[in-house]
């Protein structure tokens, strides 16, 4: 079963606008990561936030984590057409032999030029 | 540094056949994980290999198996293929072992498997 669930499932915005994507999860985590996937290709790691962090920035990306609400958000500022892709949140669970990353089903972001 | 490579990129098989997919991790990476991606189920974890040993396993039937060689290259095998096995199979490598191997995974482009 999926641990992370992204919201919305699809998002369409105009170039230059900000895009906000949300992720909720159910159990405790060690970290939460966001990945991007361009049409049928491999995933690219965007940013990682640890369970004891609340906010992290990387270029035009800003990630927040609220462990009390078991939720995270990814903000892409000043979006570009090249940001069009699917975005996945992945929760990291480290319990020895059961350590793994669990991915959500993804958000399809379309940025109109 | 070369990225993660997967071969073949596309594969067409028929039901009942078996298939072997290959993954070469980034040089120096010792952990290789495999995922299955389908429109309906999304990305699902298959298994992870580290230093030639399977360290973690997802909830897939025994028809799905894998192995890792001493050079960290990994293969996964699916026997007795079913229509539902049609998917994009992704492998990902990471540098270190243990929990830190999940800090960032580098993905290959995937193998698109179609089962007819």
């Amino acid at each position: 079963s999926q641990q992370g669930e992204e919201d919305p499932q699809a998002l369409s915005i105009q170039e230059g606008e900000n895009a906000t994507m949300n992720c909720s999860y159910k159990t405790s985590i060690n970290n939460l990561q966001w990945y991007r996937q361009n049409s049928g290709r491999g995933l690219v790691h965007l940013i990682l936030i640890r369970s004891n962090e609340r906010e992290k920035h990387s270029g035009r990306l800003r990630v927040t984590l609220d462990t009390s609400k078991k939720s995270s958000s990814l903000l892409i500022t000043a979006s570009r057409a090249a940001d069009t892709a699917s975005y996945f949140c992945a929760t990291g669970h480290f319990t020895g032999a059961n350590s793994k990353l669990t991915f959500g089903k993804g958000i399809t972001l379309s940025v109109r030029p | 540094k070369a990225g993660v490579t997967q071969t073949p990129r596309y594969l067409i098989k028929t039901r009942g056949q078996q298939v072997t997919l290959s993954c070469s991790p980034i040089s120096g990476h010792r952990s290789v994980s495999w995922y299955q991606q389908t429109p309906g189920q999304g990305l699902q974890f298959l298994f992870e290999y580290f230093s030639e040993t399977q360290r973690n396993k997802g909830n897939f039937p025994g028809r799905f198996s894998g192995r890792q060689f001493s050079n960290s290259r990994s293969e996964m095998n699916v026997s007795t293929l079913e229509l539902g096995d049609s998917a994009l199979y992704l492998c990902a490598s990471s540098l270190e072992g243990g929990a830190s191997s999940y800090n960032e995974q580098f993905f290959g482009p995937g193998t698109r498997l179609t089962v007819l």
Side-chain angles (χ1 to χ4, degrees), chain A residues 10-31:
Chain A
L11 183 60
S12 181
I13 59 173
Q14 200 73 34
E15 203 165 27
E17 294 180 335
N18 295 341
T20 299
M21 291 168 271
N22 303 301
C23 171
S24 60
Y25 57 92
K26 295 174 183 171
T27 63
S28 63
I29 61 173
N30 294 95
N31 68 42

Side-chain angles (χ1 to χ4, degrees), chain B residues 53-68:
Chain B
T53 301
Q54 186 183 89
R55 186 165 58 178
N56 289 291
K57 189 176 187 304
N59 298 322
F60 277 80
R63 299 185 298 108
F64 292 82
S65 63
R67 59 178 175 168
Q68 186 179 34

Side-chain angles (χ1 to χ4, degrees), chain A residues 49-108:
Chain A
I49 187 165
R50 301 185 193 283
S51 59
N52 61 353
E53 297 176 313
R54 291 298 165 257
E55 187 172 314
K56 207 159 182 182
H57 297 254
S58 177
R60 294 185 296 113
L61 306 179
R62 173 179 167 251
V63 169
T64 61
L65 178 65
D66 187 334
T67 52
S68 65
K69 294 181 180 177
K70 292 186 169 58
S71 67
S72 171
S73 67
L74 170 67
L75 169 68
I76 303 175
T77 59
S79 63
R80 305 166 181 166
D83 294 328
T84 295
S86 292
Y87 291 81
F88 295 85
C89 73
T91 50
H93 312 263
F94 309 143
T95 57
N98 292 320
S99 297
K100 61 181 180 181
L101 274 182
T102 306
F103 287 82
K105 290 196 173 183
I107 297 171
T108 301

Side-chain angles (χ1 to χ4, degrees), chain A residues 2 33 37 42 48 97 99 105, chain B residues 37 40-41 56 102-103 105 108:
Chain A
Q2 302 293 342
Q33 305 176 37
Q37 183 180 36
L48 176 152
S99 297
K105 290 196 173 183
Chain B
Q37 186 177 28
Q41 298 298 315
N56 289 291
Y102 298 95
N103 285 350
Q105 297 200 327

Side-chain angles (χ1 to χ4, degrees), chain B residues 1-68:
Chain B
K1 206 179 231 185
V4 178
T5 58
Q6 291 186 247
T7 56
R9 292 292 311 278
Y10 301 91
L11 206 48
I12 299 175
K13 291 284 187 179
T14 57
R15 278 182 299 174
Q17 287 187 309
Q18 76 159 23
V19 67
T20 299
L21 312 181
S22 179
C23 172
S24 293
I26 292 172
S27 177
H29 285 196
R30 294 194 296 164
S31 171
V32 174
S33 297
W34 287 90
Y35 296 85
Q36 180 196 65
Q37 186 177 28
T38 59
Q41 298 298 315
L43 266 157
Q44 293 190 292
F45 173 75
L46 280 155
F47 29 64
E48 184 226 355
Y49 285 86
F50 177 74
S51 291
E52 302 179 65
T53 301
Q54 186 183 89
R55 186 165 58 178
N56 289 291
K57 189 176 187 304
N59 298 322
F60 277 80
R63 299 185 298 108
F64 292 82
S65 63
R67 59 178 175 168
Q68 186 179 34

